Amino acid sequence: QVQVVESGGGLVQAGGSLRLSCTASGMTSDNYVMGWFRQAPGTEREMVSCITWTDGRTVYTDYADSVKGRFTVSRDNAKRMVELQMNSLKPEDTAKYYCATSYGVCSASPRNYRYWGQGTQVTVSS
């Protein structure tokens, strides 16, 4: 059974930073994709970033235009954890952030991710 767990959300002032972490246990292969999505009230869930790797090496990352240059996704092989470093946060980044995973490639569509975490709230005050 695959379990996805996010951590690291919180309240921060505009211009500040937060780091989100995500682990996925129960995957039967070490080659899979992990995506970060966010959803604010009344909006659709949107991809923030995704990362894929093969044999422990990151082979591809992607970002939404709204976060390029501010957010960085990476994988800690030793901890089998994916992190999303969020810098220069803006009030419009306020949302619930979800980590999702699947056996596949980066995709902006939530439908292409099979396993989801419960989400962690990020609130950026102005």
Side-chain angles (χ1 to χ4, degrees), residues 74-90:
S74 61
R75 187 192 188 210
D76 186 322
N77 287 335
K79 297 180 181 178
R80 301 177 68 84
M81 174 185 295
V82 169
E83 296 181 323
L84 184 68
Q85 178 68 40
M86 306 186 295
N87 298 328
S88 303
L89 282 161
K90 304 175 181 180

Side-chain angles (χ1 to χ4, degrees), residues 102-120:
S102 192
Y103 299 106
V105 299
C106 275
S107 170
S109 172
R111 291 180 292 182
N112 290 332
Y113 294 80
R114 183 173 180 181
Y115 307 103
W116 289 82
Q118 293 299 308
T120 184

Side-chain angles (χ1 to χ4, degrees), residues 11-114:
L11 172 65
V12 65
Q13 287 189 328
S17 298
L18 282 174
R19 181 180 295 174
L20 306 183
S21 299
C22 176
T23 57
S25 60
M27 301 295 279
T28 58
S29 166
D30 195 41
N31 301 327
Y32 49 91
V33 56
M34 293 190 86
W36 285 100
F37 289 77
R38 67 186 181 187
Q39 188 169 20
T43 69
E44 293 187 354
R45 194 168 294 189
E46 63 172 354
M47 188 201 78
V48 174
S49 179
C50 63
I51 181 170
T52 59
W53 55 85
T54 300
D55 297 328
R57 287 189 305 111
T58 296
V59 294
Y60 183 78
T61 59
D62 198 12
Y63 299 91
D65 288 343
S66 58
V67 307
K68 281 181 181 176
R70 300 189 297 123
F71 291 11
T72 303
V73 65
S74 61
R75 187 192 188 210
D76 186 322
N77 287 335
K79 297 180 181 178
R80 301 177 68 84
M81 174 185 295
V82 169
E83 296 181 323
L84 184 68
Q85 178 68 40
M86 306 186 295
N87 298 328
S88 303
L89 282 161
K90 304 175 181 180
E92 51 263 44
D93 293 319
T94 295
K96 195 164 189 179
Y97 283 69
Y98 297 87
C99 180
T101 189
S102 192
Y103 299 106
V105 299
C106 275
S107 170
S109 172
R111 291 180 292 182
N112 290 332
Y113 294 80
R114 183 173 180 181

